[in-house]
């Protein structure tokens, strides 16, 4: 296992290109199961989760070629309908293969999905939707697998009680080849969902977003191959914007998608972040004013994304005054806090007053374990210092790397494979921006 050794503080300056969006790539691979033609996908990041998801597809029989940042996939006539525990349980998106496998084989057997440990992350909303489309689903607690069957799925009117990003995508991937029309109400608005819709429509699907949160899918009898370039990763762009402001540097980002970051920009500018539009797809980020404190609340798109709150917390350690972060999407996404406190950050947990928590929070509030807090208060400004740090989820990992770059002294970060799951060659790209970061074997610390 790898670890990072980071010596700070450094000011990050220079140019960086944004990779393709992980949270589109993983679903785009699954779309290729819907046809026996070849599907070619460009702008695919070379990251751990992509390699794991390609493994899931290889195990069920898909031919995969991954050269540079292009993946070519071809599903043969016959597919294996079981996702093995060995590969499937490592990745939440493995459950997305259910709809396409039902369309192709009438059966799907999948392990309880894994992914980042940021809460219970059940898939009950996905299951209710698939059942409404005619799937028979049983969970066998003796083997940990969902056993799903359907001769042919049919269209249905699906109403999600709460936002679900991959739940919406599960239904999309199941409905494109189902008999008749499916309507998803309270569908996720995330731009990654729309990119998947674009790809599926290029393959011959008939999907329309009728209103912001209503998607209509007219089932078709077959799909065909295509070539598609997935959109850049907005979460990565936010990470670099925060890095520039945090270190009082200047980072120019190419493959920038400003239109996807409107809510982030409101908050970023409000605390002193600078945004300069260089051209349509290039943006420079920097610190315009001394960083000031703010209270934010995470929400599904178009709100402040839950994926941004961990790096945001590091920025707020450099703000004068008290900042607050209220996490409303996942029930456990503050694993990085105790690590930041090790570096001198002054952070306390609290539970904000919420009048109807069950409907307000995106997770299942009544199932929340004892001792979880949904918000933090950060008192700044604090000079961060070096520490030994452990990473346990992807965004938290990027957060600790930023903190170590801004902190005084030599920090050691273990669990780097969590960052490698979602950020392509983060150490090399940060080095080019001036960071003093070295990758070593964990055993050498
Ligand atoms: N939820 C349920 N039941 C369900 C589905 C969701 O209780 O059936 C709960 C979840 O446990 C969570 C909340 O509802 O508390 C929201 O879940 P959602 O389904 O919207 O999120 P997700 O699909 O698990 C995706 C991304 C996340 C991103 C969120 C929010 C992928 C693979 N993952 O997660 O990305 O934070 O949407 O947009 O697309 C990451 O990239 O590191 C990451 C975690």
């Amino acid at each position: 296992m790898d670890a990072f050794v980071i010596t700070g503080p450094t000011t990050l300056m220079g140019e960086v290109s944004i990779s393709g969006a992980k949270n589109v790539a993983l679903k785009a691979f699954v779309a290729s199961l819907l046809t026996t033609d070849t599907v070619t996908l460009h702008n695919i990041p070379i990251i751990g989760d992509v390699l794991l998801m390609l493994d899931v597809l290889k195990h069920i029989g898909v031919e995969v070629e991954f050269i540079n940042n292009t993946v070519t996939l071809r599903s043969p006539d016959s597919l294996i309908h079981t996702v093995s525990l060995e590969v499937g349980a490592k990745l939440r998106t493995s459950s997305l293969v259910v709809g396409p496998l039902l369309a192709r084989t009438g059966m799907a057997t999948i392990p309880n999905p894994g992914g980042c440990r940021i809460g219970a992350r059940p898939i009950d909303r996905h299951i209710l939707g698939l059942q409404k489309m005619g799937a028979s689903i049983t969970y066998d607690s003796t083997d940990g697998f969902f056993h799903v069957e359907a001769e042919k799925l049919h269209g249905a009117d699906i109403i999600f009680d709460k936002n679900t990003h991959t739940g919406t995508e599960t239904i999309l991937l199941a409905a494109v080849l189902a008999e008749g029309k499916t309507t998803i109400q309270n569908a996720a608005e995330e731009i990654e969902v729309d990119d998947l819709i674009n790809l599926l429509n290029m393959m011959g699907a008939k999907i329309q977003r009728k209103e912001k949160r209503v998607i209509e899918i007219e089932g078709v009898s077959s799909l065909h191959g295509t070539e598609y370039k997935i959109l850049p990763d907005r979460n990565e762009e936010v990470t670099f914007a925060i890095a520039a402001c945090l270190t009082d540097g200047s980072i120019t980002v190419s493959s920038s998608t400003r239109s996807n970051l409107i809510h982030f920009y409101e908050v970023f500018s409000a605390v002193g972040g600078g945004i300069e539009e260089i051209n349509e797809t290039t943006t420079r980020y920097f610190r315009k004013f001394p960083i000031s404190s703010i209270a934010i609340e995470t929400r599904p798109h178009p709100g402040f994304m839950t994926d941004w709150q961990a790096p945001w917390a590091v920025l707020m350690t450099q703000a004068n005054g008290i900042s607050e972060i209220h996490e409303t999407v996942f029930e456990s996404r503050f694993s990085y806090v105790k690590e930041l406190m090790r570096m001198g950050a002054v952070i306390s947990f609290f539970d904000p007053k919420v009048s109807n928590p069950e409907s307000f929070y995106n997770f299942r509030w009544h199932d929340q374990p004892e001792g979880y807090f949904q918000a933090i208060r950060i008192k700044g400004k604090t000079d961060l210092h070096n520490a030994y740090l452990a990473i346990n989820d992807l965004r938290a990992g990027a957060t600790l790397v930023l903190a170590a770059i801004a902190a005084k002294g030599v920090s050691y970060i273990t669990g780097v494979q969590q960052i490698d799951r979602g950020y392509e060659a983060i150490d090399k790209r940060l080095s080019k921006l001036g960071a003093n970061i070295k990758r070593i074997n964990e055993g050498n610390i």
Side-chain angles (χ1 to χ4, degrees), residues 22-23 26-27 92-93 116 118-127 162-167 169 190 192 234-235 300 305-307 329-331 333 362-364 393-395:
K22 164 180 86 76
N23 289 344
L26 306 179
K27 296 64 177 282
R92 182 166 175 77
T93 39
C116 275
I118 51 182
R121 304 191 83 181
I123 53 167
D124 53 310
R125 296 173 205 157
H126 312 211
I127 289 171
K162 293 182 183 193
N163 190 70
T164 170
H165 178 162
T166 44
E169 292 162 335
E190 269 77 11
E192 291 80 8
R234 61 186 168 139
N235 295 328
M305 294 284 292
T306 167
D307 305 86
V329 177
F330 291 101
E331 74 272 40
R333 219 172 185 181
N362 206 353
F363 53 87
R364 300 195 303 194
D393 95 67
L394 167 59
R395 306 292 164 200

Side-chain angles (χ1 to χ4, degrees), residues 182-248:
T182 300
T183 308
I184 312 177
Q185 309 212 31
N186 198 22
E189 279 183 74
E190 269 77 11
I191 53 158
E192 291 80 8
V193 175
D194 283 329
D195 212 35
L196 178 65
I197 292 177
N198 290 341
L199 165 66
L200 290 168
N201 282 340
M202 282 187 67
M203 294 171 69
K206 288 192 178 154
I207 309 172
Q208 265 189 304
R209 199 181 268 281
K210 287 283 190 186
E211 292 165 34
K212 277 190 174 180
R213 298 193 67 84
V214 180
I215 300 175
E216 225 173 71
I217 307 118
E218 196 66 60
V220 295
S221 56
S222 64
L223 295 183
H224 53 74
T226 195
E227 195 164 342
Y228 190 75
K229 183 176 176 189
I230 66 163
L231 60 74
D233 195 326
R234 61 186 168 139
N235 295 328
E236 204 179 270
E237 182 159 358
V238 163
T239 307
F240 283 113
I242 291 174
C245 187
L246 174 73
T247 64
D248 202 5

Side-chain angles (χ1 to χ4, degrees), residues 307-371:
D307 305 86
W308 307 336
Q309 61 98 340
W312 187 259
V314 188
L315 188 62
M316 290 303 99
T317 65
Q318 301 309 302
N320 279 315
I322 309 272
S323 302
E324 290 181 359
I325 298 179
H326 185 179
E327 171 60 50
T328 76
V329 177
F330 291 101
E331 74 272 40
S332 172
R333 219 172 185 181
F334 288 125
S335 66
Y336 62 88
V337 168
K338 66 176 189 329
E339 305 300 297
L340 283 186
M341 287 165 78
R342 263 191 242 277
M343 304 178 82
V346 182
I347 306 181
S348 56
F349 287 94
F350 72 106
D351 260 333
K353 282 203 171 47
V354 170
S355 58
N356 186 352
E358 192 52 70
S359 65
F360 177 77
Y361 288 115
N362 206 353
F363 53 87
R364 300 195 303 194
W365 185 77
H366 60 272
D367 287 348
Q368 191 193 37
E370 284 284 311

